[in-house]
Amino acid sequence: MNRNIRSPIVGVAMLVIALVLFHAITVAAPRAPVTVGLGNPPNPATVAPHPLLSDIRIRHALAYCTDRIALIGSVYPFLTTAQRQELLMNTFLPPDHWAYHAPPPEYTYPFDPARGRQLLEEAGWNLTSGATYRTNAAGDELALTLTTTNAQFRQIWAAALEAQWRDHCGIRLVREHTTASIWFGSASGLSRRDFELGAFAWVGQTDPGGRTLYACDQIPTAANGWIGQNYMGWCNPTASAAIIAANSTLLRHERINHYAIVQTEFARDMVSLPLFSRLASLAWSRHVTGITASATGYTLAGAAQWERDDGGDAIVVGFTQQPDTLFERVSSQWVAREAALLAKGAYYTEYDYDYQPVLQDGLSTIEAGLAQNATVTVTAGDRVVNSLGEAVTLAAGERVIDANGNYVTYSGTGPLAMNQLTVRYRLRNYRWSDGVAGSLADIQLGVRAECAMAASWQRSYICNAIHQTTFGPGLEYTVTYLPGYQNPAYHLLPFGIYPAHQVLSDGRVLADVPAREWPALPEIAERPLSFGPYMLAEWVRGDHMTFVANPYHTPAPKTPRLVIRFLPSSDAALDALLNGEIDVLPGFTYIPDQRLADAAAAGQINAAWSPSPTWEHIDMNLDRYTGVVARPVPPTGGVIATDLNTAITVPAGAVTTTTTFVYNHNAIPAQPFTGAATAVSGFSLQAFTASGQPVTQFAAPITIQIDYTDEELAARSIPEDSLNVAYWDGSAWRNLLPCAGCSHDLVANRITVMLDHLTEFALTGVVERARLYLPLLHR
């Protein structure tokens, strides 16, 4: 996934009840239920800073209290300490990235719980003798909620983190594991900033991007339609200016300098805690040499360098998925792209967060003199690329990026300075696997055909951004793009090549076939001609693909035959490797890591582990959109009152020892709803003894009171009489009303329920369907 994607992740704005929870709560002797009003949706201008996470001392303390090496060990127990160390990240870029800048030592946050405890005490959170969790002067517990998916991987490391913060620093971490559909939904979870601490993964790429993640104008709010991916709400002017500048220049040395500033500020402010890169695995036979392990490159891109040391003439690779096509331009499958590298060849490779030219004759960079980024003057009516990457006619109100990298809205009159790229792309001499030499016609066909298909695939934005293309001399062409097109990957060949001379089985010549037919052509999708070291000799669907050396490629591959065998599962693939039925198992087959480690340790196979581009981290929401309340209640009872829409009354005798009640509010419940009911708001309620044992049953019922407003129901088209309070029984939502001692006061806008157990709850209602009234016609 690209770090700059607008859709991971953005969606349509909707009215969301995001409630502001202030830190002050009170516990008193049992009394009448307290009336607590439901807060309004946060106004970006007035939303309250988070009472804990807005304090940099607490954010730093959380980092120092986190043993990231131990977290890595919880999910990858077979790695050595040194191997775990390689997975650590200190910024949003991995250490081997071309734009990485190591932050100053004081902002690297090694595991130092003593330093963390000191910072928490400075912030007013102390650990009393015999207590497990820290409290402040008001008696509140130091508690935070971590929201993430319910994937087993995250449940494992999050449980380890919960124990670390509790045992080393006295912090209560409330884990909220929800479904991916809610956490990554277009109108819930992350996109609505409905979290305190949020854990998820980004996938790093060769181009760091980052503008939508770290710029001040990319903070999602109700006012801007929740646009942007700066979920932390982090606005550091120095970092924001630098991330914009880094994405407004194409010169690498300038970008490196700008990214250094952003990474330093990112580490200093500690608004997002990088945990570790996920593991990439690669396994191969002890009889195969020449394997290149790179988490960012395609494994088969280097297959021409593989060879056997036992005299064999073939290497067998295991896939757990079959390619849908060899026309890689229209496929999103990783396996399709891997197989196409063998079937056709590579234009360039992408090892270690950088590019290496193969058929392309050098990267067409400005620094290499193969591109220029000139400042030009545009006026109304000119074709340009706007700030969204769309080719448009310049007119009043159009938002564009000027020559200085500023976002400006065009007035409709007068000149405007913008940058315009002109790039010269060159190819090395090549010969197709039928013996015909490569030609300029192949290049022209590629540009024409791929742009003709652009409406249905990802290169449309390139085609639409082209102002002019000139071909020649030799195997090269020059593209002048519209002003405003500033693609960081401008230096890579934008289009593929195709054998313009090829005669198809139906007698037509490929150059004469409309591009819309290409995805179904066997000569394109199943048996393409190759310019690379291998060519496809046989494809038996569901079983294997056989590739042989292309006799017209120089140099010849070191192993003359390569076979891809399709296997039903990753376990079956590893079995085949251990049994000698296959020789190479690429990391994208999701090898069972523990079995792989055991086999490698026993000397049965070779294995390599490296940091993958996918990295886990915890975002810290600097604004209070949701919250958790943790408060001890004695056997004499008490009322937990918040400024949210919920109050909990614990009667005398309900608990036999002082019990901490943990209330965790969510705008959207962690469990999804099905059917007619929808959630107005949700919360979970837990209780624990001083020793940390959960309390799920009570000697006397506790009372939960939920208030609501007419305005919020009207905004959601929910009739008041449809409201109910539902609880999650472990597999489904169940309504509480009607129940003994429960009530719904339509005048006071208040629902009261009595219960003797705790779980996740939600205020629910049924959305009223719009009614259509048709006129009555008389004949």
Side-chain angles (χ1 to χ4, degrees), residues 220-555:
T221 65
N224 70 8
W226 303 102
I227 299 299
Q229 294 171 294
N230 186 341
Y231 303 123
M232 302 86 67
W234 181 46
C235 185
N236 176 318
T238 300
S240 184
I243 198 67
I244 292 173
N247 286 273
S248 301
T249 179
L250 299 177
L251 297 174
R252 178 166 285 196
H253 71 277
E254 292 183 355
R255 304 190 78 200
I256 288 173
N257 292 336
H258 295 312
Y259 279 119
I261 294 171
V262 182
Q263 289 172 86
T264 296
E265 296 300 312
F266 177 86
R268 184 201 315 273
D269 286 356
M270 184 42 64
V271 291
S272 181
L273 175 60
L275 296 176
F276 55 87
S277 294
R278 289 194 181 184
L279 197 62
S281 306
L282 176 64
W284 65 97
S285 165
R286 298 182 69 83
H287 296 293
V288 174
T289 61
I291 299 286
T292 299
S294 172
T296 61
Y298 290 98
T299 303
L300 299 186
Q305 302 304 312
W306 301 354
E307 57 183 328
R308 305 187 66 97
D309 63 6
D310 58 1
D313 66 350
I315 292 176
V316 182
V317 182
F319 277 21
T320 55
Q321 186 181 16
Q322 180 172 235
D324 55 0
T325 179
L326 290 177
F327 190 16
E328 79 284 0
R329 295 302 201 192
V330 298
S331 177
S332 59
Q333 280 187 319
W334 187 277
V335 292
R337 295 172 184 271
E338 289 273 10
L341 287 170
L342 294 179
K344 188 171 181 180
Y347 302 108
Y348 49 82
T349 54
E350 190 176 356
Y351 292 125
D352 303 322
Y353 297 99
D354 215 339
Y355 298 104
Q356 304 81 33
V358 181
L359 182 66
Q360 184 173 354
D361 189 9
L363 300 179
S364 299
T365 63
I366 296 172
E367 292 88 339
L370 294 175
Q372 60 178 343
N373 200 23
T375 299
V376 298
T377 299
V378 296
T379 58
D382 289 340
R383 294 288 290 173
V384 299
V385 172
N386 66 14
S387 60
L388 298 178
E390 302 164 334
V392 298
T393 298
L394 188 61
E398 197 67 57
R399 189 169 170 82
V400 298
I401 302 175
D402 68 14
N404 296 317
N406 300 313
Y407 281 67
V408 298
T409 300
Y410 185 59
S411 65
T413 60
L416 179 67
M418 297 181 71
N419 289 326
Q420 184 171 31
L421 262 173
T422 300
V423 189
R424 178 183 167 202
Y425 301 103
R426 304 181 304 184
L427 281 74
R428 304 180 194 276
N429 291 327
Y430 63 95
R431 190 173 291 273
W432 293 104
S433 51
D434 63 356
V436 175
S439 67
L440 193 60
D442 301 337
I443 298 173
Q444 293 171 316
L445 177 60
V447 175
R448 185 174 74 248
E450 291 189 0
C451 281
M453 291 183 287
S456 61
W457 61 288
Q458 60 269 30
R459 269 181 168 69
S460 60
Y461 75 100
I462 297 179
C463 297
N464 294 337
I466 292 177
H467 171 65
Q468 177 180 302
T469 304
T470 57
F471 296 94
L475 297 178
E476 66 177 64
Y477 60 107
T478 300
V479 177
T480 299
Y481 295 96
L482 294 175
Y485 178 80
Q486 298 287 283
N487 184 356
Y490 73 93
H491 53 279
L492 301 176
L493 278 176
F495 304 104
I497 58 170
Y498 301 89
H501 68 280
Q502 186 178 16
V503 179
L504 307 184
S505 58
D506 62 7
R508 292 182 297 173
V509 176
L510 182 61
D512 299 330
V513 179
R516 65 178 179 274
E517 298 182 27
W518 282 28
L521 293 178
E523 291 84 357
I524 293 291
E526 297 178 6
R527 51 177 187 274
L529 292 180
S530 173
F531 57 79
Y534 286 101
M535 61 183 187
L536 181 64
E538 180 185 47
W539 186 352
V540 178
R541 293 277 180 177
D543 191 75
H544 70 275
M545 304 172 80
T546 299
F547 302 85
V548 297
N550 177 359
Y552 300 101
H553 185 275
T554 303

Side-chain angles (χ1 to χ4, degrees), residues 47 125 161 179 237 272 362 365 431 433 477 508 511 569 574 589 606 613 636 695 707 716 725:
V47 64
W125 295 92
L161 180 65
T179 61
S272 181
T365 63
R431 190 173 291 273
S433 51
Y477 60 107
R508 292 182 297 173
S569 68
L574 184 53
T589 53
N606 290 317
T636 54
V695 178
D707 289 7
R716 295 167 181 265
V725 176

Side-chain angles (χ1 to χ4, degrees), residues 10 37 73 215 368 471 474 501 576 611 657 666:
V10 276
F471 296 94
H501 68 280
T657 184
N666 298 105

Side-chain angles (χ1 to χ4, degrees), residues 9-29:
I9 14 199
V10 276
V12 181
M14 61 173 275
L15 180 63
V16 185
I17 302 180
L19 305 166
V20 180
L21 172 64
F22 290 97
H23 195 54
I25 57 176
T26 60
V27 171

Side-chain angles (χ1 to χ4, degrees), residues 1-9 89 91-95 97-100 200-214 218 228-231 243 247 259 263 266 272 274 276-277 296 353 612-617:
M1 141 174 106
N2 191 310
R3 271 196 171 107
N4 284 319
I5 49 180
R6 280 9 179 221
S7 121
I9 14 199
M89 291 186 62
T91 78
F92 54 85
L93 295 177
H97 198 287
W98 62 264
Y100 174 74
F200 59 103
W202 285 122
V203 179
Q205 294 190 332
T206 298
D207 181 73
R211 192 194 188 290
T212 64
L213 277 68
Y214 307 122
Q218 296 297 312
Q229 294 171 294
N230 186 341
Y231 303 123
I243 198 67
N247 286 273
Y259 279 119
Q263 289 172 86
F266 177 86
S272 181
F276 55 87
S277 294
T296 61
Y353 297 99
S612 81
T614 304
W615 55 287
E616 296 284 318
H617 66 287

